[in-house]
Amino acid sequence: MNKGYAVFCDADRWFYDAPYRRGEDGGYAAELPAMPEDWQSHRSGDWLAWRPAEHRLPAQGWKIHVSAGLDNAASVLARVRDHCVPRRLAFKFVPNRYLLHLRNAKYADRAGAGKFITVYPADLDEFRRTAEELDALLAGEPGPYVLSDLRWNQGPVYVRYGSFTLRHCHDERGELVPALEDPDGTLVPDPRGPAFRLPAWVTPPDFLRPHLDARAALTLDGLPYTVERALHFSNGGGVYLARDTATGERVVLKEARPYAGLAADGADAVTRLHRERAALERLAGLGCVPAVRGAFTIGEHHFLALEYLEGKPLNTFFARRHPLIEADPTPAALASYTRWALAVHREVTRAVEAVHARGVVFNDLHLFNIMVREDEEGDDGWDRPQAGPQLGPQAGPEAGPEAGPEAGPQFGPEAGPGRPRPAVFLLDFEAAAGIDDDARQIVANPAFVAPADRRGASVDRYALACLRLALFLPLTSLLPLDRTKAAHLARIAAEQFPVPKEFLDEAVAEILAGPDGTPGPVPAEPYLPVPPGEWPASRDSLAAAIASASTPGRDDRLFPGDIAQFTRPGGGLTVGYGAAGVLHALAETGRPAWPEAEEWLLERTKDPVSGTPAGFYDGLAGIAWTLERLGHPARALELAERITAQPWDTLSTDLHSGLAGIGLALDALATATGERDLHDAALRCAERLADPAAREATGARTGREGAGAPGPRTGASAPRPRAGLLYGASGRALLLLRLYERLGDRDLLARAADFLREDLARCVTSAFGTLQVDEGWRTMPYLGEGSAGIGMVLDDYLEHAPDEAFEQARRQIVRAAQATFYAQPGLFRGAAGMVLHLARTTCPGPGTGPADIGRQIEALARHAVPYQGQLAFPGEQMMRLSMDLATGSAGVLLALGSAEPGVRAHLPFLPPLPRPTSRSRAAGS
């Protein structure tokens, strides 16, 4: 789960939205005196900025951050304001308690945590004087440590060198990031990670030396543990694997930073660490939880040492065990998995009941907090002959190791030395509470979060019910959108697996029940207004959902989509995440023109937001290409002129944001409008693809880390080169193929082949004969960053030249697109992309026939949720709906249209290929 998505969930019930759009009162500013008339105010996202009207700041330099907690923030702001105004110092601040809480929450961005006020000194002398004066003014005020900065003495004042104005460049992964200007005048990334870093050319002034020395003096010397590696980081601290230097025992060290990592009740990481210690000491000897080995403090960082338990989190077993990762799992595989899943749930239930018996509520049960021991994971551990009740032809909830006083896990006081350890362990008790406290949930995984009215033990019972469904279909993150989806998931699970009906019915009853256990609403049948495969009814329903979700009164977006709408300038207008992509999908699938939506896009491209990228899926190139296709060539050419006038030195070479996508858009615009200069610009893009500096995303210079960062640190490896259609070499190959088709230059075709081989070299073949992109810690089959996107371009290449290695690769990629389950429905990172690839590919052999495509379309129903009585789909991370092309309903719409013979909708620059006649598919089949 990408924790960054969680903060975009509070502002809207159905869609991701900017946190600052959540309803608020006057905030901290309402408590301050009125600003002088010659001061200007500007609201930008999570910040409210004030500066004198005549003030002209440098583009970059040393800035000052002031930290504060929730309880002292108003007082700190009042004093900083009173200091800055008479001195004509520009400053900005987080404007209300809600946004400050989010900034310091457990899964907030670690690089931005603690930053409450930013002050902008005009020069080095003013920087030193202001830091000294604020330090004296605020001495003793508590606040979270600002990890990205250097602390000034021991107070809430921190400093760093960085950009004062909003400028952007591309980093080593091709991502658009805030930029600094180096001594040569080149824009380079402004390092804003969770560690103090200086640009390579910046020498800290001498007066910072005492503060650098103080930072360096804070080390782990004398610690009775040797840290081996980091396991996990959150805004509250880290989790580390370590070894006791005296005994050699492996332990887990949990770190907590004061005033940071806030939970829903305002408790910081230190408070929760003490709660965890108290809960585990209360549960000592239970056997299904780790034992406490010790506690200590270094500086302001608190640590808890816990017993290291062998095993892996339950979520990791899906990729190894779940039969739906195969195209056609056998009945035996489905039955074996069912026995394993039921046994796991039984053991987790026993563990939770044992915890309750000790008077503790876990309060944060989910797939990542359940550890499964490796030696209990094999068939001889779970699939033994069963004893006890059987609920059907397959093993029921009592399935598992044979019952008896000497067999199976021991969760009671009798568990101890010489006794069998349980098959599962429960981890992370920082949210635990007393069973009689009637406490609400304060930290939760989105797929297991209980309704707000659940209290005490009912929170754990709700999570156990979600686990029943998630073990078969890990889609319970959809339940906060619509809890009646539980019944729909249960029905699908029962159709796929030989799981006892009672097991799933009990889960649905618990999920839908009221706070007092009263039965919940009876889910309507059918759940969806129309199945995804019923074209054109599904098209019309998706289009109606998109229309009903539109927000024509907003300037930042017309259609709700991914959080990229708010994290990138102009994101709500783009092909990938905004209006242009939605309009493309509607047009491609035969919907009537939407003049009002086109006018919305035209109005907001008269003067694009500063910093809007030039790229295809995230910027101006894609918007221009879309507007021309919608019949607005004049505006398209205006945007193209902006693109060609920009320096391309720092652009990446990929299709998503870089030169490949820009070149494709400019070449298509040249063909459509007759502007031959754009053909030349497209060729310049192609020429730069071979430039090593461009392919490494020039401008991605690394900073140097400041001395003595507090807390354990581990080395970082260089980013792995990305592969696939959007970010890898296949996107570059696509540009060269399209240019070859126009120019006939065989050298372009040969270079395209080289790029395809480059991407294929980053793929691995699985035991099932599927070819997927190897990301180092996982393999990816998807259209955007996985192998399916490579397969799309392989298909196009093979239209022009034979290549046996490419033929073999695309057959293996087709196998990767036939799995029975994908975690998300989206076009670029989900099941919709597989539909589009299978519908378009010319690869011969099994897997691409009408039945294969129809099975994938039918499977999309698992992810679908009704919205305003229409068919809709969730976006990335599955916590909210999305209407955009890259992640949401418009992408599903395009994929469904690609499978219809009379429609054959397609992605930009990847038109339909001649389809073998045996593949023709009747509409609606």
Side-chain angles (χ1 to χ4, degrees), residues 663-677:
L664 284 161
L666 296 179
D667 203 55
L669 284 172
T671 299
T673 64
E675 294 288 336
R676 299 193 59 82
D677 287 350

Side-chain angles (χ1 to χ4, degrees), residues 213-238:
D213 292 343
R215 184 181 178 90
L218 187 59
T219 69
L220 298 179
D221 293 345
L223 183 70
Y225 302 97
T226 301
V227 174
E228 296 182 347
R229 61 186 173 94
L231 300 175
H232 170 70
F233 284 109
S234 75
N235 194 26

